[in-house]
Amino acid sequence: MPRKKRTEPVALRIEDVHALVAAVNLTDIVLHEERGRRIYWTDSQRDELKFPITANSLGMREEGPEVRFRFRSVFSDERAEFVADVEAVYSADQEITVDEAVIREFAERVAFMAAYPFIRASIYSSASRLNVPAPVLGMVRQGEFSLGEKLTEDESQAAFGDTVSEFTGEADN
């Protein structure tokens, strides 16, 4: 009896965001960083800065049957600074290939909505532990969150690299 040729499984080609929603499940929420610290601004800084100050970043990557979306939010007000770095992990039953435009739409319409409650809770609980008034991060309605420019590899590493230790100030290897 002749042997059947073994073929590698073919990746499922995802054409639109609806197909991606149908193909994946949210399988994990990973907390990469959560911190709050009191900030003692100088008088000149208080005069110059417009509070609150926010900076948000998003990292995305595909790994076989997984698609990962990492959201990092930094929020500063007159009393403190907070960082919440949360990753939403979605998994398919088989390897998938997805156009970047579909991934970006999924990030904006689905993944961010899954991660945002964790970001809000992280910042709120950090403020509570510091015994400072907790900032209320407003509601984000569908369509209000949109991605900015795609980061270069160096910019992505700087935002999400997790390579510097608080103790040494040097890259961890």
Side-chain angles (χ1 to χ4, degrees), residues 66-83:
E66 289 186 344
V67 186
R68 297 171 165 266
F69 300 90
R70 189 166 167 185
F71 300 92
R72 187 171 197 275
S73 184
V74 181
F75 179 95
S76 293
D77 62 15
E78 295 85 352
R79 296 175 191 89
E81 179 177 87
F82 308 97
V83 176

Side-chain angles (χ1 to χ4, degrees), residues 22-134:
V24 299
N25 288 305
L26 178 63
T27 54
D28 202 2
I29 296 288
V30 178
L31 183 63
H32 288 275
E33 183 178 7
E34 177 181 57
R35 68 178 162 92
R37 63 181 178 164
R38 290 178 182 272
I39 300 289
Y40 298 100
W41 304 101
T42 65
D43 290 338
S44 64
Q45 288 171 325
R46 282 184 193 273
D47 292 339
E48 290 174 21
L49 298 171
K50 183 175 178 177
F51 294 105
I53 304 168
T54 60
N56 300 298
S57 303
L58 166 68
M60 302 178 288
R61 67 179 182 198
E62 293 176 65
E63 292 181 350
E66 289 186 344
V67 186
R68 297 171 165 266
F69 300 90
R70 189 166 167 185
F71 300 92
R72 187 171 197 275
S73 184
V74 181
F75 179 95
S76 293
D77 62 15
E78 295 85 352
R79 296 175 191 89
E81 179 177 87
F82 308 97
V83 176
D85 189 342
V86 175
E87 182 176 36
V89 181
Y90 292 84
S91 300
D93 292 333
Q94 68 184 84
E95 190 166 333
I96 58 175
T97 59
V98 187
D99 288 336
E100 185 177 334
V102 174
I103 289 281
R104 290 176 68 84
E105 184 178 359
F106 186 89
E108 291 175 353
R109 296 177 64 191
V110 179
F112 178 74
M113 295 300 178
Y116 191 62
F118 293 90
I119 292 168
R120 288 172 77 178
S122 172
I123 290 172
Y124 185 89
S125 64
S126 292
S128 295
R129 287 190 304 273
L130 290 174
N131 198 27
V132 298

Side-chain angles (χ1 to χ4, degrees), residues 133-152:
V136 176
L137 301 183
M139 227 171 56
V140 178
R141 290 172 181 79
Q142 191 75 38
E144 287 182 344
F145 172 78
S146 63
L147 300 179
E149 295 297 314
K150 186 175 180 179
L151 298 176
T152 66

